[in-house]
């Protein structure tokens, strides 16, 4: 590695130089190599999408300079990173091929490398995967009529296809960003991310915000769920007249959940809830009183201080009603047009009573009028007759005249007939 020291107090960053002997590889691009690199650099710039490094010719060797340090060859990567780098490399290669349009033959030449030891990768400060190709546009020369290499066969390793499913409170989290072994990745619209085939027993780490999960690949268990649900405890305290209220009914609503709880002997009840990612309000109701607040952290408290209602005052006793004097009901007299005939009796003329000639019934009958006379109420004044209208008066006079005339005519006929 070589590098130039920086001025000031900055720590110098050394670049990595990758060398290969000129006689050991064959260039697929020819004399246009430098011009092609200039075009690719202009197209992709110096950002993370840049795949190609600049070639520096040397004496009997070629070299490519990688910016900074920390680069690692794909040939030395672990199984998981090999899957990730190859997936990202395919995406970058497709973007390069689109720039060449119909000249896909040139695209294949540019993207060729002798082997995986010339493909380098590393994460940037945010965990994004950087990939650079060295010895691009080169390949090993083909050996003709040469003796083949003899080696021992590699043992077959048991692998398991691994995919992740990120959920929160049982629901998929689409587009969730996460880190896998330090590299940043993003789940698809269903909260899933396909890693690929990994050896059984391989271990890797998943980090999502403050959630950390260490995973070991097991046979038949390639579908791995990453549950990032965060929970909080909700404690509800109920006091009645400053004393703990036991067996109080508590209603709770939060993020679509509804729970009916009951306080214990200490007047408290505790429940665990998944935190709402949208920071919705938690509503708690006790005996008609309601409290609302968002939930944060590991513990949240709701306190209710109830007061017993004042007893209603007793009604005052009603006074005893005064009983009216008992009087016989007055019977209304029937009014008739005929006046009753009253026989006048002289006070002196009384029938002589002979002793022994009347019975007890007659005595009671004689006594009853006296009681009736005493109990008879005074007669009510009779209402005055209604006034006669003038028309009625004229009719009366006309009828009287006609009757008088008819009477005179009848008498005349009797006398002078």
């Amino acid at each position: 590695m070589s590098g130039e020291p920086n001025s000031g107090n900055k720590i110098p960053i050394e670049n990595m130089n990758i060398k290969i002997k000129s006689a050991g590889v064959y260039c697929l691009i020819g004399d246009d190599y430098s011009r092609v690199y200039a075009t690719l650099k202009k197209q992709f710039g110096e950002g993370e999408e840049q795949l190609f490094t600049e070639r520096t010719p040397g004496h009997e060797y070629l070299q490519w300079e990688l910016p900074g340090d920390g680069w690692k060859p794909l040939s030395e990567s672990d199984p998981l990173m090999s899957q990730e780098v190859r997936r990202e490399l395919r995406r970058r290669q497709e973007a390069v091929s689109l720039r060449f349009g119909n000249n896909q033959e040139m695209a294949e030449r540019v993207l060729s490398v002798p082997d995986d030891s010339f493909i380098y990768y590393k994460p940037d400060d945010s965990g994004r995967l950087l990939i650079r190709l060295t010895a691009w546009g080169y390949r090993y020369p083909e050996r003709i009529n040469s003796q083949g290499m003899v080696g021992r066969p590699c043992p077959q390793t048991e692998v398991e296809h691994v995919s992740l499913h990120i959920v929160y409170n049982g629901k998929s989290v689409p587009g969730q960003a996460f880190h896998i072994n330090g590299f940043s990745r993003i789940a698809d619209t269903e909260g899933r991310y396909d890693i690929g085939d990994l050896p059984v027993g391989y271990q890797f780490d998943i980090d999502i915000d403050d959630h950390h999960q260490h995973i070991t690949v097991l046979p038949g268990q390639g579908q791995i769920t990453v549950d990032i649900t965060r929970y909080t405890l909700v404690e509800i305290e109920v006091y009645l007249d400053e004393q703990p209220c036991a067996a109080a009914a508590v209603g709770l609503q939060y993020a679509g959940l509804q729970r009916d709880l009951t306080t214990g002997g200490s007047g408290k009840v505790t429940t665990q809830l998944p935190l709402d990612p949208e920071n919705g309000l938690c509503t708690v109701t006790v005996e008609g009183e309601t409290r609302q607040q968002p939930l944060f952290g590991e513990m949240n408290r709701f306190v209710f201080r109830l007061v017993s209602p004042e007893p209603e005052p007793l009604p005052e006793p009603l006074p005893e009603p005064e009983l009216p004097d008992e009087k016989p009901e007055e019977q209304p007299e029937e009014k008739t047009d005929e006046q009753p005939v009253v026989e006048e009796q002289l006070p002196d003329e009384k029938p002589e009573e002979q002793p022994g000639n009347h019975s007890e019934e007659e005595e009671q009958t004689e006594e009853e009028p006296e009681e009736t006379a005493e109990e008879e109420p005074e007669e009510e004044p009779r209402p005055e007759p209604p006034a006669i209208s003038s028309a009625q008066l004229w009719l009366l006079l006309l009828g009287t005249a006609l009757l008088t005339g008819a009477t005179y005519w009848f008498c005349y006929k009797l006398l002078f007939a």
Side-chain angles (χ1 to χ4, degrees):
M1 294 187 294
S2 63
E4 297 180 359
N6 294 340
S7 60
N9 297 326
K10 294 182 179 179
I11 299 175
I13 300 177
E14 296 182 351
N15 295 333
M16 295 179 60
N17 293 328
I18 309 303
K19 297 180 180 180
I20 188 173
K21 288 185 178 182
S22 303
V25 290
Y26 172 72
C27 183
L28 301 174
I29 299 174
D31 297 336
D32 293 334
Y33 197 94
S34 297
R35 184 175 61 83
V36 171
Y37 172 75
T39 302
L40 294 173
K41 183 178 180 181
K42 183 178 179 180
Q43 290 286 336
F44 295 99
E46 296 291 342
E48 64 179 41
E49 296 297 324
Q50 180 59 266
L51 271 176
F52 307 96
T53 53
E54 186 176 4
R55 183 188 67 177
T56 304
H59 180 65
E60 296 183 354
Y61 65 86
L62 301 170
Q63 74 174 15
W64 288 263
E65 188 176 279
L66 294 170
D69 58 1
W71 296 93
K72 187 175 182 179
L74 178 59
S75 58
E76 299 178 7
S77 65
D78 63 11
L80 185 144
M81 290 314 305
S82 176
Q83 295 282 355
E84 293 299 310
V85 172
R86 293 183 189 281
R87 181 186 289 107
E88 184 66 19
L89 179 60
R90 285 194 297 269
R91 188 185 70 81
R92 304 277 184 89
Q93 289 173 336
E94 290 174 0
V96 172
S97 297
L98 290 175
R99 298 297 180 95
F100 280 87
N102 295 328
N103 194 1
Q104 290 300 306
E105 183 180 354
M106 177 57 74
E108 291 179 3
R109 293 180 181 181
V110 168
L111 293 170
S112 296
V113 293
D115 57 39
D116 290 349
S117 62
F118 294 93
I119 302 174
Y120 285 80
Y121 70 93
K122 74 172 183 177
D124 65 2
D125 295 337
S126 62
R128 291 178 298 181
L129 186 61
L130 302 179
I131 300 177
R132 290 297 175 92
L133 301 180
T134 61
W136 56 271
Y138 283 82
R139 72 180 182 189
Y140 291 126
E142 297 179 0
R143 295 182 180 182
I144 302 175
N145 297 327
S146 61
Q147 185 176 0
M149 296 179 60
V150 178
R152 69 181 65 176
C154 295
Q156 293 292 331
T157 303
E158 185 181 3
V159 296
E160 182 71 27
H161 191 86
V162 177
S163 65
L164 305 178
H165 184 203
I166 303 174
V167 299
Y168 189 99
N169 193 23
K171 298 180 180 179
S172 300
V173 185
Q176 175 64 51
F178 64 97
H179 286 79
I180 180 169
N181 281 2
F183 289 90
S184 177
R185 286 289 174 264
I186 297 177
D188 62 14
T189 56
E190 296 180 355
R192 299 182 181 275
Y193 184 82
D194 186 72
I195 294 177
D197 293 335
L198 296 177
V200 172
Y202 179 80
Q203 300 180 2
F204 60 96
D205 296 311
I206 297 293
D207 292 282
I208 305 176
D209 298 331
D210 56 353
H211 176 84
H212 176 80
Q213 187 169 343
H214 185 74
I215 298 172
T216 300
V217 179
L218 300 175
Q221 300 182 19
Q223 303 296 324
I224 299 173
T225 299
V226 181
D227 190 351
I228 60 174
T229 308
R230 293 184 298 145
Y231 292 90
T232 185
L233 290 176
V234 177
E235 184 181 66
I236 300 141
E237 301 179 19
V238 182
Y239 296 92
L240 179 61
D241 299 331
E242 300 302 328
Q243 298 297 324
C245 181
V250 179
L252 185 147
Q253 293 181 347
Y254 179 67
L257 298 175
Q258 183 171 355
R259 294 185 181 178
D260 296 324
L261 310 172
T262 304
T263 58
S266 62
K268 299 179 182 180
V269 63
T270 303
T271 185
Q272 186 182 53
L273 297 174
L275 283 173
D276 183 6
E278 299 180 358
N279 296 326
L281 294 177
C282 180
T283 303
V284 180
T285 304
V286 178
E287 297 294 335
E289 293 193 15
T290 301
R291 304 277 192 276
Q292 284 186 328
Q293 69 183 49
L295 303 183
F296 299 101
E298 297 180 356
M299 174 65 76
N300 294 268
R301 294 175 67 246
F302 291 81
V303 180
F304 291 81
R305 300 188 182 277
L306 308 178
V307 179
S308 299
E310 295 182 0
E312 297 182 0
L314 297 175
E316 296 182 359
L318 297 175
E320 296 182 0
E322 296 181 0
L323 298 176
D325 296 338
E326 294 183 359
K327 292 183 178 180
E329 295 182 0
E330 298 178 356
Q331 299 292 336
E333 295 182 359
E334 295 182 1
K335 296 179 181 181
T336 58
D337 295 338
E338 297 180 359
Q339 296 293 333
V341 178
V342 181
E343 295 182 359
E344 295 182 0
Q345 293 183 358
L346 297 177
D348 295 336
E349 294 179 358
K350 293 182 179 180
E352 294 181 0
E353 298 179 359
Q354 294 180 4
N357 293 336
H358 55 273
S359 61
E360 293 180 0
E361 294 180 359
E362 292 178 357
E363 292 178 0
Q364 292 178 358
T365 305
E366 291 176 359
E367 292 177 359
E368 285 180 0
E370 294 179 2
E371 295 177 0
T372 305
E374 292 177 0
E375 294 179 359
E376 283 184 0
E378 296 181 358
E379 293 185 0
E380 296 180 358
R382 295 183 179 180
E384 296 180 359
I388 300 175
S389 62
S390 58
Q392 293 176 343
L393 181 60
W394 280 107
L395 289 175
L396 181 62
L397 292 176
L398 180 59
T400 304
L402 291 175
L403 181 61
T404 304
T407 303
Y408 277 109
W409 183 80
F410 181 74
C411 293
Y412 176 80
K413 284 289 185 179
L414 291 175
L415 293 176
F416 298 102

